[in-house]
Amino acid sequence: MASVKALFEPLQLGDITIKNRITMTAVTRNRAPDTYPTDLMKEYYVQRAKADAGLLVTEGTLISRQGTEWPLAPGIWDEKHIEGWKKIVDAVHEVGGHIYSQLWHVGRLAHPEAAEQKLAGTPVWAPSAISARGGKFRTIEGQPGYTTPTALPDPRTVIAEFKQAAINAKKAGFDGVELHGANGYIVTQFLDYNANQRTDEWGGSVENRARFGLEVLKELVSVFGRNVGLKLSPAGGYNDVGMPLEDTIATYSYFITEADKLGIAYVTLVRYSPNSDFMVDGKSRATHHDVFGTFRPFIKNAKVIVNADVTPEEGERLVSEGKADAIAIGFNFITHPDLVKRVRAGYPLDNIPDIPHLQTKTDSGDFSVGYTDYPFAKLD
């Protein structure tokens, strides 16, 4: 394996210094009964922190029960959530790790018949009453797809929920928070004019469609200062979003430029990947283009992290050439808790993925299977 020296230089992110440039991006694992973090989740994050992950970003963590798409996804909206996450954060810090909470709201991708949505007692909120195509709710009788949501009467109500979630994350001791602005969820829905057809200050022009995400970021910064990250996937595709290239560039270049002015710690750019594409009538919904090359120049202040199918070898080149500050790895971090140590030692990433247990369902039995039982390499 080629040298990975550049990946193992420390990096300043906001108020913290991470020990290397290999970060774990948010990956949904669905191991939180009734939305509350557990000791098993603590074991999962500590495994990776002890094995020298530069920065851990939690799985998408729901800011409200209303924003739930699946059972067993964790939340951060009440005191019991704070207590559960604090145990995890404290344990990660005890072994020398750093951890951000990714704040998440699914918008129109929830379903009114889902148990979590019924408990919320609110409609499925979205920018506009426009359904995403596709979807398959396996925990609902008949396995329905997405349905038409209710247009948010006042987006400020959800912005306030993001702020409260950040306050809760601060109480739990997180090093920072990351705004989930990728993958077709609520921030993306506001940015994308196919999902957002509002005629008020929150829709229409690029500036208006960007307003929601920027106002959320301002609130997060008001709580965490510069310890705020942003994850974006301008290529779209996943969850039925995507605009023509000219509109994509106009929208995201403005949004990234304005977000970068807020003094946030980093922006993670998610490149196009066939694994996250979405097909409609046999055609890709994604906007195929060089996401990193197109939008990297608009980031002047924040650190830049590249995500999606990035290998350590490519990451070493991007970092050594000064094009990226770090890399974010998802799937391989699921299957290799000691990923960073393997990369440093030139050891292969050869664990076999347990696909049926990537996202555990309520009837899966032992939640540790496919979660904390992946083997560590014998590197000593």
Side-chain angles (χ1 to χ4, degrees):
M1 182 176 178
S3 169
V4 287
K5 180 180 178 182
L7 286 179
F8 286 90
E9 293 293 326
L11 176 66
Q12 186 77 27
L13 280 183
D15 292 329
I16 64 172
T17 300
I18 60 174
K19 63 185 76 173
N20 59 63
R21 313 296 182 99
I22 303 175
T23 72
M24 184 177 86
T25 197
V27 183
T28 298
R29 303 309 309 278
N30 289 346
R31 258 76 174 187
D34 299 322
T35 74
Y36 292 106
T38 65
D39 286 342
L40 181 65
M41 290 170 60
K42 179 174 72 174
E43 179 184 351
Y44 171 78
Y45 287 109
V46 168
Q47 281 182 338
R48 286 146 185 81
K50 285 179 69 175
D52 294 339
L55 176 71
L56 301 174
V57 180
T58 70
E59 59 217 277
T61 302
L62 296 156
I63 65 168
S64 70
R65 193 181 294 279
Q66 191 280 326
T68 304
E69 184 174 5
W70 304 300
L72 302 172
I76 194 163
W77 64 79
D78 67 23
E79 289 298 322
K80 187 176 176 181
H81 289 123
I82 295 170
E83 292 171 7
W85 281 116
K86 189 175 189 313
K87 292 178 183 177
I88 293 172
V89 172
D90 287 350
V92 166
H93 287 163
E94 284 171 8
V95 298
H98 292 101
I99 185 167
Y100 270 43
S101 172
Q102 189 194 64
L103 303 183
W104 184 37
H105 190 296
V106 305
R108 65 179 181 171
L109 302 175
H111 195 284
E113 294 304 314
E116 296 79 10
Q117 187 66 40
K118 287 182 176 180
L119 284 171
T122 63
V124 173
W125 296 128
S128 299
I130 300 170
S131 175
R133 290 166 289 186
K136 192 172 186 180
F137 291 83
R138 295 176 177 84
T139 58
I140 303 175
E141 185 177 354
Q143 301 188 17
Y146 296 124
T147 62
T148 302
T150 299
L152 261 170
D154 185 355
R156 293 177 186 86
T157 58
V158 174
I159 293 171
E161 290 176 340
F162 271 104
K163 181 176 183 177
Q164 185 60 54
I167 292 170
N168 294 347
K170 188 86 166 178
K171 291 179 181 177
F174 280 102
D175 295 296
V177 289
E178 177 182 281
L179 175 61
H180 193 348
N183 298 351
Y185 297 113
I186 199 164
V187 174
T188 316
Q189 292 163 29
F190 269 94
L191 287 167
D192 192 309
Y193 58 59
N194 294 301
N196 177 3
Q197 296 183 10
R198 300 177 74 100
T199 57
D200 59 7
E201 64 181 312
W202 305 96
S205 67
V206 169
E207 292 80 6
N208 283 358
R209 285 183 280 116
R211 190 183 311 280
F212 178 84
L214 293 174
E215 290 301 313
V216 172
L217 282 172
K218 290 174 186 176
E219 296 292 4
L220 303 187
V221 169
S222 77
V223 176
F224 268 97
R226 59 181 182 161
N227 304 305
V228 174
L230 171 64
K231 186 176 185 179
L232 296 172
S233 55
Y238 190 66
N239 285 325
D240 194 22
V241 292
M243 298 176 289
L245 182 58
E246 182 178 354
D247 297 316
T248 297
I249 294 175
T251 298
Y252 280 90
S253 60
Y254 173 80
F255 184 72
I256 290 170
T257 298
E258 295 304 307
D260 189 50
K261 293 176 182 177
L262 299 176
I264 61 178
Y266 67 84
V267 177
T268 294
L269 292 173
V270 183
R271 305 183 297 189
Y272 169 77
S273 172
N275 295 327
S276 58
D277 206 342
F278 178 76
M279 307 299 287
V280 176
D281 299 328
K283 296 180 180 179
S284 168
R285 276 290 282 119
T287 307
H288 298 245
H289 67 292
D290 177 6
V291 167
F292 186 75
T294 301
F295 297 106
R296 171 65 182 88
F298 295 100
I299 305 171
K300 309 292 187 183
N301 304 302
K303 298 299 193 294
V304 182
I305 302 177
V306 60
N307 180 221
D309 302 328
V310 58
T311 63
E313 293 83 1
E314 183 189 15
E316 171 69 18
R317 177 178 60 79
L318 291 171
V319 171
S320 64
E321 293 176 355
K323 295 178 180 176
D325 295 294
I327 62 174
I329 295 177
F331 187 79
N332 274 327
F333 246 126
I334 290 177
T335 53
H336 301 89
D338 58 345
L339 181 143
V340 174
K341 287 190 173 183
R342 288 180 185 235
V343 170
R344 189 195 294 271
Y347 195 90
L349 303 177
D350 58 359
N351 284 347
I352 299 172
D354 183 350
I355 300 298
H357 296 101
L358 289 181
Q359 296 184 5
T360 290
K361 308 300 187 294
T362 54
D363 59 353
S364 294
D366 185 353
F367 281 11
S368 69
V369 176
Y371 188 57
T372 55
D373 60 351
Y374 284 105
F376 288 69
K378 294 186 169 108
L379 301 176
D380 298 331

